[in-house]
Amino acid sequence: MIGAATSGRIADFLGRKEAMRVSSVICLAGWLAVYFAKGTVSLDIGRLSTGYGMGLVSYVVPVFISEIAPKNLRGGLATLNQLMIVCGVSITLIIGTFISWRALTLIGIVPCFFLFFGLFLIPESPRWLAKVGRWKDFEVALRKLRGKDADISAEAEEIQDYIETLRHLPKAKMLDLFQRRYLLSLIIGLGLMLIQQFGGINGICFYVSHVFESAGVPPNVGTIIYACLQVPITGLGAFLMDRAGRRLLLFVSSSGLVIGCLLVGTSFFLKAHEMSLDWVPALALIGILTYIGSFSIGMGAVPWVIMSEIFPINIKGTAGSLITLVNWFASWVVSLSFNFLMSWSSYGTFFLFGGVNAVGILFIAKLVPETKGRTLEEIQASINA
C-alpha cells in the first residue's frame, strides 16, 4: 500500500523506466533480507521491501505498456503483464511444493535482475517524455517503438496536441480527482478494483491449499492444477482483449466468478449438513477451477488495462496511486479476514464473494466503457467531456 501511494509521484518525477528500476532494486534487497534472515526483524524488513517494490511496479507497468502500445494492440500487450504475473505465481506454487521457502526466495531474485538490466534495452514512454518537454527524445522513442520505416507523424501530432492542451491545466492534486470532469473515470477505476478484490481472489489464492484441504481435495494436487490452469486461460484473455473487447471479457469473467463461488459454496454447504458427501470434493475442485479460470480471462487483467487508459496524463500519476492503493488495501482486508470468514461460515464466505461478483456484472453494464481500438486521447476525451 505504501508503494502504491508513492507510485504515481515517482513515475511522474523519475519517468516510467526509472520507477521500474527503483522497484527492482528494492525487491532485490528485500529478497536478500528474507534469504539471510536469522529472526523476525530481518524477515519483516525483507517482506516490507518486496511489498513496497511490488506496490510501485504494479502501477507503473500497466501505465507504461498503455503509453507505448499502438491502439490496436494495447489491450493484448497490457494483458501480457497479467500473463507474466500468473506464470510467476504458477511456477512459484509448483516449485514451492517441493523446496523450502528460503530456497524459494533465491528464485524471486532472478526476475529482479532481468528487470533491472532489461530496462537498458527499451525506450522510455514517449508520452511521459512529451509531458516533461523532452521533444527530441520523444520522437526518438516513438520511432524506436513503431519501427524506423513507420509513419509516426499523425500519432506524434495527436500526442503533442493533447499534451499542449494539458499544459494549460494546473498541476494535479489528490482533491482534483473529485472534480466533475474526472469523477466518472475515478468511479470506474475504483469500482473495478474494489470488485476485483472483494470478489475474493486473494483470499482464495493465498489460502487455496487450505480451501482444498477443507473440502477433502488433496492440497498438492489441487494447487498444481490451479497453478497450471491460470497460464493458458490468461493467454486466451490476452489474445481476445483487442478482438472481443474489454466489456465482453469482464461480463464473461464476472459471470464465471459467480458460478465458481456458488459451486464452492454449495460444496461446503453439503459438507456442513452432511449431505451428498461424495460430491463435495468434486464440486469444490470444479468450483475453484471455474473461479480461477474466470478470473484469469478477464477480471484479473482488464481492471488494470482500463485504469491505465481512462485518465489524462496530467492526472494519471495521482489517480493511479489512489486506485492502486485502494486495490492493495482491499487485498489486505480480504487476506486478513478470509480465515475469520471461513471460521464463521465456509459456504457463507463463498456465497458472499458470489454476491460481490454479481454486483460487478451490474456495475460493468452500467458504467464501464469499451476502450478497444481507440487512442488514449480519444478515450479520455469521451469520458471526461
Side-chain angles (χ1 to χ4, degrees):
M1 288 190 288
I2 299 167
T6 58
S7 59
R9 288 195 177 277
I10 291 173
D12 283 349
F13 182 71
L14 297 178
R16 297 0 181 179
K17 277 179 61 176
E18 290 306 313
M20 287 187 276
R21 189 170 282 123
V22 168
S23 172
S24 67
V25 171
I26 293 172
C27 284
L28 176 62
W31 284 125
L32 289 173
V34 171
Y35 179 74
F36 290 109
K38 294 287 190 288
T40 56
V41 174
S42 179
L43 194 64
D44 287 341
I45 289 171
R47 293 293 292 139
L48 187 67
S49 299
T50 54
Y52 180 86
M54 288 313 303
L56 174 57
V57 82
S58 62
Y59 160 74
V60 178
V61 169
V63 167
F64 177 73
I65 293 171
S66 75
E67 290 180 353
I68 66 171
K71 64 181 180 181
N72 61 312
L73 298 174
R74 190 177 60 243
L77 290 174
T79 309
L80 284 180
N81 175 43
Q82 183 69 15
L83 178 61
M84 293 300 101
I85 290 171
V86 298
C87 283
V89 170
S90 298
I91 290 167
T92 306
L93 281 170
I94 293 168
I95 294 175
T97 61
F98 303 109
I99 65 174
S100 70
W101 65 265
R102 199 180 291 273
L104 199 61
T105 60
L106 292 177
I107 296 171
I109 291 171
V110 175
C112 301
F113 277 110
F114 274 108
L115 179 59
F116 183 86
F117 290 107
L119 287 167
F120 289 105
L121 306 177
I122 62 173
E124 179 57 272
S125 160
R127 285 177 169 85
W128 180 80
L129 291 168
K131 180 186 172 227
V132 297
R134 292 167 55 182
W135 296 108
K136 187 174 180 181
D137 292 335
F138 158 74
E139 290 189 12
V140 170
L142 192 60
R143 172 73 64 194
K144 188 173 182 180
L145 287 163
R146 299 295 178 259
K148 63 180 181 179
D149 298 323
D151 181 7
I152 62 169
S153 56
E155 185 178 7
E157 186 177 349
E158 182 179 16
I159 293 170
Q160 287 170 347
D161 289 345
Y162 192 67
I163 295 294
E164 286 302 321
T165 303
L166 295 176
R167 284 193 191 283
H168 300 295
L169 297 173
K171 189 173 181 180
K173 300 181 180 66
M174 188 64 73
L175 288 177
D176 294 338
L177 286 172
F178 299 93
Q179 293 178 9
R180 188 172 180 179
R181 74 174 100 174
Y182 304 128
L183 200 54
L184 180 56
S185 295
L186 187 65
I187 291 169
I188 293 167
L190 289 175
L192 285 174
M193 292 303 184
L194 289 171
I195 292 162
Q196 181 197 67
Q197 292 299 332
F198 285 127
I201 181 60
N202 276 335
I204 293 168
C205 181
F206 295 156
Y207 296 101
V208 66
S209 295
H210 172 66
V211 173
F212 281 134
E213 195 172 354
S214 299
V217 178
N220 277 5
V221 174
T223 300
I224 290 171
I225 295 172
Y226 167 99
C228 292
L229 180 68
Q230 289 187 93
V231 177
I233 299 294
T234 305
L236 177 63
F239 176 77
L240 293 173
M241 184 72 71
D242 289 308
R243 293 167 175 82
R246 283 58 152 163
R247 274 171 60 88
L248 180 60
L249 287 181
L250 284 173
F251 278 127
V252 170
S253 179
S254 297
S255 301
L257 289 169
V258 172
I259 293 168
C261 287
L262 291 176
L263 287 172
V264 180
T266 301
S267 75
F268 279 115
F269 180 84
L270 293 174
K271 184 180 179 183
H273 293 83
E274 297 185 347
M275 299 161 56
S276 304
L277 293 178
D278 292 342
W279 285 91
V280 169
L283 273 177
L285 183 61
I286 293 168
I288 289 289
L289 296 183
T290 301
Y291 182 96
I292 195 59
S294 300
F295 184 85
S296 298
I297 204 168
M299 193 52 85
V302 177
W304 292 102
V305 174
I306 290 177
M307 181 274 287
S308 69
E309 294 176 326
I310 58 177
F311 291 101
I313 199 164
N314 70 308
I315 200 95
K316 186 176 281 187
T318 306
S321 288
L322 177 62
I323 288 172
T324 311
L325 172 64
V326 167
N327 180 277
W328 285 112
F329 175 76
S331 168
W332 173 72
V333 170
V334 172
S335 305
L336 185 71
S337 62
F338 186 78
N339 274 341
F340 296 109
L341 287 170
M342 289 290 284
S343 299
W344 160 68
S345 171
S346 53
Y347 58 86
T349 300
F350 283 92
F351 290 152
L352 184 64
F353 291 154
V356 172
N357 288 304
V359 170
I361 296 173
L362 300 176
F363 180 85
I364 294 157
K366 190 72 176 173
L367 291 175
V368 179
E370 181 55 74
T371 58
K372 179 188 75 167
R374 301 161 75 189
T375 67
L376 296 182
E377 290 70 29
E378 288 170 346
I379 294 165
Q380 291 150 14
S382 66
I383 291 178
N384 299 317

